[in-house]
Amino acid sequence: MATRLSDVAARAGVSVKTVSNVINDYPHITAHTRAKVEAAIAALDYRPNVSARSLRKGRSDFIALAIPEMASAYFAELGAAFSRAAKKRGITVLIEQTEGESAAEQLVLDGMRGQLIDGIVFSPITSTPAKIGAAASGKPLILLGERTTGGTFDHVAVDSVQAAFDATTHLISLGRQRIAAIGVGGGGASGTGAVRRKGYRKALKAAGIAHDPALELAGTGYHRLDGAASMRELLALPEPPDAVFCFNDLLALGALRTLADAGLSVPGDVAVVGFDDIEDGRYHSPSLTTISPDKEWLAEHTVALLLERIAGSGEAERRSLTVPYTLEIRESTAG
Amino acid sequence: MATRLSDVAARAGVSVKTVSNVINDYPHITAHTRAKVEAAIAALDYRPNVSARSLRKGRSDFIALAIPEMASAYFAELGAAFSRAAKKRGITVLIEQTEGESAAEQLVLDGMRGQLIDGIVFSPITSTPAKIGAAASGKPLILLGERTTGGTFDHVAVDSVQAAFDATTHLISLGRQRIAAIGVGGGGASGTGAVRRKGYRKALKAAGIAHDPALELAGTGYHRLDGAASMRELLALPEPPDAVFCFNDLLALGALRTLADAGLSVPGDVAVVGFDDIEDGRYHSPSLTTISPDKEWLAEHTVALLLERIAGSGEAERRSLTVPYTLEIRESTAG
């Protein structure tokens, strides 16, 4: 049978109320009493009924991270970083995969129907800004990624225009002239593809290179499969590219496979840059040059901000955090 | 303001009780009444208060999947498969990353302290069989993976001894004689490493090859980093191996990177087999030969069994499901 509060009280020689006060961290308890109770708790391996505690303090210490795809390495690594950041603060992260489907995203916006989650971090794909803005589950919610709502929610993102500009400028600095972009169709009008294409075109323009629509491939998704297919299309062009900026690492890894199959050398024939800095790209042969968002920073700051919202402390004004990144130059551009 | 039950009732011209009966799918409601109420629900975009409904039916339609690491591609892909399998049945999966830490695993065994989760699928790393067996959260719990408790819980796993036997036998059939194993230290005495080594040794024995302890590397983890380091150790041996069986694909991908850095050809100089069939291995150059557990089957059958346990239907006896697998022969052994 499970140990009860009264067992702890009996062993410590104090009242049940005193044990309860120690567990709930009430002030005005002497160090001596606290030590006695804690020793009894340890000796009996007593575990407080946390559901009951949660009800009392009105918190569960669970937060949710809703992402489109956990099998996508970037989101998997991000999820892991969130779990670590939360664990440091005594919080557990539960991850929900929406697959970018509107019903699943609506469930998130509705607050994941239940009392068990204190707050939500949400990376939307299909939900329109209007739909996100209309969400009012009453639970703190922070948005991740390109898609914003003009200030209804706190928002955390990389400056994707600048990062795409940097990635493209790196390829230009290597003397490349026909620089393709894979993934321009990702996430609709205000999504990842559109934002990163903006930075890509800006860099070309700054270098006096006209952008060629034949070199901008939308693809049908952001997976290796899509990158491999887009690269095949590019190689079939009358004038194939000498460099490719892929809007995520999975696309880049697919493109590298197509280049290997075609017997082309990387970066000799075609230089390749990705975006995300997933582990796979670091171990690949050739290793992948990529934009590396600081995922630990992202997770730390997002969790800290969410906990501030849950506690109701801090400023009321919505905040927008910009995630730092670096350009990691590796073998796929530097030989 | 949110639409209320009374708004729906007013629009449909029926009582609140009738609307409630339709929402809760009670029998003895005429098709005509049902249609009127459903039309009103649609017109007003009414969403029932699902928490209240959950309380009534005693279920939340959320289940948890507790895995050691979501940034490990195998678990990420498994998590995605679980989400899909659950979604088909109207259930949402929340994923918890334990990092194999005993406190986090204990939280899982305690039932994840809350009413919101109907059942748990758990892949333990550090929890001892005794600790798992003693868990009595009252919530249905299914164990995944090698670590068992002798029948206290339902259990789902690949036959890792047989799969390791098949992988090793494949290398032997290619004429390889010095076959190394990377990952024999994974998961302690009854864990993945021990079980797969058993199959590896069995295959060597069946072929009349003595096993060489110098070729069995424990490593410190199951990541690319560990595979790369173990492969460096193997290449430093007076008599390096001509084949390597890595106990997961991440180890194998790390080993392939070391082989590429050393200028060795795969499979010419060293043939490599992995375990898990993650997407990364399929796109790698060379593509990776591997044991491919049927993850969709695993997710489908585990979710179905868990829902059976939650509903209290089906046989009371604990069940043990064996996940089908295939050996996928690719470039890393077949050149």
Side-chain angles (χ1 to χ4, degrees):
Chain A
M1 215 188 83
T3 305
R4 298 172 53 168
L5 212 58
S6 51
D7 302 325
V8 176
R11 186 175 178 111
V14 301
S15 71
V16 168
K17 177 78 187 139
T18 301
V19 176
S20 167
N21 287 348
V22 169
I23 289 169
N24 290 299
D25 236 354
Y26 287 162
H28 311 306
I29 296 168
T30 66
H32 177 67
T33 304
R34 188 178 295 277
K36 272 198 302 187
V37 171
E38 283 173 352
I41 287 173
L44 297 172
D45 194 21
Y46 171 72
R47 280 185 221 103
N49 179 335
V50 190
S51 311
R53 283 183 69 192
S54 300
L55 284 177
R56 272 199 301 280
K57 70 175 178 173
R59 300 229 317 254
S60 69
D61 294 337
F62 278 79
I63 61 174
L65 172 65
I67 52 178
E69 269 196 296
M70 71 189 77
S72 174
Y74 173 71
F75 286 111
E77 292 182 9
L78 202 59
F82 267 94
S83 283
R84 283 191 297 272
K87 187 170 288 174
K88 274 192 221 166
R89 297 166 170 86
I91 303 290
T92 300
V93 177
L94 297 173
I95 308 225
E96 215 252 303
Q97 163 167 294
T98 63
E99 299 192 53
E101 282 178 11
S102 61
E105 293 199 350
Q106 192 59 53
L107 176 64
V108 173
L109 290 171
D110 288 346
M112 301 183 73
R113 60 174 193 209
Q115 331 78 321
L116 199 81
I117 287 160
D118 297 332
I120 299 174
V121 178
F122 178 31
S123 176
I125 296 286
T126 46
S127 300
T128 58
K131 218 169 204 175
I132 295 171
S137 75
K139 278 182 194 167
L141 188 149
I142 297 180
L143 292 176
L144 287 189
E146 260 75 43
R147 198 173 272 281
T148 68
T149 54
T152 321
F153 292 101
D154 294 313
H155 181 232
V156 182
V158 172
D159 181 347
S160 261
V161 175
Q162 186 60 42
F165 180 91
D166 292 353
T168 310
T169 299
H170 169 59
L171 291 168
I172 295 167
S173 77
L174 302 172
R176 307 292 162 140
Q177 287 288 321
R178 283 190 62 70
I179 300 170
I182 295 181
V184 303
S190 61
T192 303
V195 174
R196 294 184 185 170
R197 180 172 62 181
K198 196 171 162 188
Y200 156 81
R201 285 190 177 176
K202 207 172 136 190
L204 293 179
K205 196 172 176 187
I209 303 173
H211 78 260
D212 177 353
L215 292 180
E216 296 182 353
L217 270 73
T220 50
Y222 265 43
H223 299 98
R224 288 180 181 85
L225 185 73
D226 309 301
S230 291
M231 195 68 233
R232 280 194 295 273
E233 280 187 57
L234 288 169
L235 292 182
L237 289 176
E239 244 190 298
D242 56 12
V244 187
F245 170 33
C246 298
F247 287 5
N248 79 357
D249 281 0
L250 292 178
L251 288 171
L253 292 164
L256 286 173
R257 175 74 218 199
T258 294
L259 290 166
D261 289 345
L264 293 169
S265 87
V266 174
D269 297 314
V270 183
V272 178
V273 177
F275 199 117
D276 284 348
D277 195 15
I278 62 174
E279 190 186 89
D280 189 357
R282 294 198 283 278
Y283 279 84
H284 199 273
S285 306
S287 56
L288 183 63
T289 295
T290 190
I291 295 290
S292 176
D294 190 334
K295 300 181 195 86
E296 298 298 327
W297 188 102
L298 196 171
E300 284 288 335
H301 285 76
T302 306
V303 169
L305 178 56
L306 186 62
L307 293 183
E308 207 179 295
R309 295 307 184 196
I310 291 166
S313 62
E315 291 175 30
E317 203 173 308
R318 298 298 107 185
R319 281 181 22 214
S320 193
L321 305 182
T322 302
V323 181
Y325 67 87
T326 53
L327 173 68
E328 295 296 325
I329 298 174
R330 302 202 184 102
E331 294 164 355
S332 69
T333 62
Chain B
M1 215 187 86
T3 305
R4 298 173 53 168
L5 212 57
S6 51
D7 304 324
V8 176
R11 186 175 180 112
V14 300
S15 71
V16 167
K17 179 77 188 139
T18 300
V19 175
S20 167
N21 287 347
V22 169
I23 289 168
N24 289 299
D25 239 354
Y26 287 162
H28 312 306
I29 296 168
T30 67
H32 177 67
T33 304
R34 187 178 295 277
K36 271 198 303 186
V37 172
E38 284 174 351
I41 287 173
L44 297 171
D45 194 22
Y46 171 72
R47 279 188 222 100
N49 179 334
V50 190
S51 310
R53 283 182 70 192
S54 300
L55 284 176
R56 272 200 300 281
K57 71 175 178 172
R59 300 230 316 255
S60 69
D61 293 339
F62 278 78
I63 61 175
L65 172 65
I67 52 178
E69 268 197 296
M70 72 190 76
S72 173
Y74 174 71
F75 286 112
E77 293 183 8
L78 202 60
F82 267 94
S83 283
R84 283 191 297 272
K87 187 169 288 175
K88 275 192 221 165
R89 297 166 171 86
I91 303 289
T92 300
V93 177
L94 297 172
I95 308 225
E96 215 252 302
Q97 163 168 294
T98 63
E99 298 191 54
E101 283 177 11
S102 61
E105 292 199 350
Q106 190 59 52
L107 177 64
V108 172
L109 290 171
D110 287 346
M112 300 183 74
R113 60 176 191 206
Q115 331 78 321
L116 200 80
I117 287 161
D118 297 331
I120 298 173
V121 178
F122 178 32
S123 176
I125 296 285
T126 46
S127 300
T128 58
K131 217 168 204 176
I132 296 171
S137 75
K139 278 182 194 165
L141 189 149
I142 297 180
L143 291 175
L144 289 188
E146 260 76 44
R147 198 172 272 282
T148 69
T149 55
T152 320
F153 292 102
D154 294 312
H155 181 232
V156 181
V158 171
D159 181 346
S160 261
V161 175
Q162 185 61 41
F165 180 91
D166 292 353
T168 310
T169 299
H170 168 59
L171 292 168
I172 295 167
S173 76
L174 302 172
R176 308 293 162 139
Q177 288 288 321
R178 283 190 63 71
I179 301 171
I182 295 180
V184 304
S190 61
T192 303
V195 175
R196 294 184 185 170
R197 180 171 63 183
K198 195 170 162 189
Y200 157 80
R201 285 190 178 175
K202 206 172 136 190
L204 293 179
K205 196 172 177 186
I209 303 173
H211 78 261
D212 177 353
L215 293 180
E216 296 182 353
L217 269 75
T220 50
Y222 265 44
H223 299 97
R224 288 181 181 85
L225 186 73
D226 309 301
S230 291
M231 195 70 232
R232 281 194 295 272
E233 279 187 57
L234 288 169
L235 293 182
L237 289 176
E239 244 191 297
D242 56 11
V244 187
F245 170 33
C246 298
F247 287 5
N248 79 358
D249 281 0
L250 292 178
L251 289 171
L253 291 164
L256 285 172
R257 175 74 218 199
T258 294
L259 290 166
D261 289 345
L264 292 169
S265 87
V266 175
D269 296 314
V270 183
V272 178
V273 177
F275 200 116
D276 283 349
D277 195 15
I278 63 174
E279 190 186 88
D280 190 357
R282 294 199 284 278
Y283 279 85
H284 198 274
S285 305
S287 56
L288 183 62
T289 296
T290 190
I291 295 290
S292 177
D294 190 335
K295 300 182 196 85
E296 298 298 327
W297 189 101
L298 195 171
E300 284 289 336
H301 284 76
T302 306
V303 169
L305 178 56
L306 186 61
L307 293 184
E308 207 179 294
R309 295 307 183 197
I310 291 166
S313 61
E315 290 175 31
E317 203 172 309
R318 297 298 108 185
R319 283 182 19 215
S320 192
L321 305 183
T322 302
V323 181
Y325 68 87
T326 53
L327 173 69
E328 295 295 326
I329 298 175
R330 302 202 185 102
E331 293 164 356
S332 69
T333 62

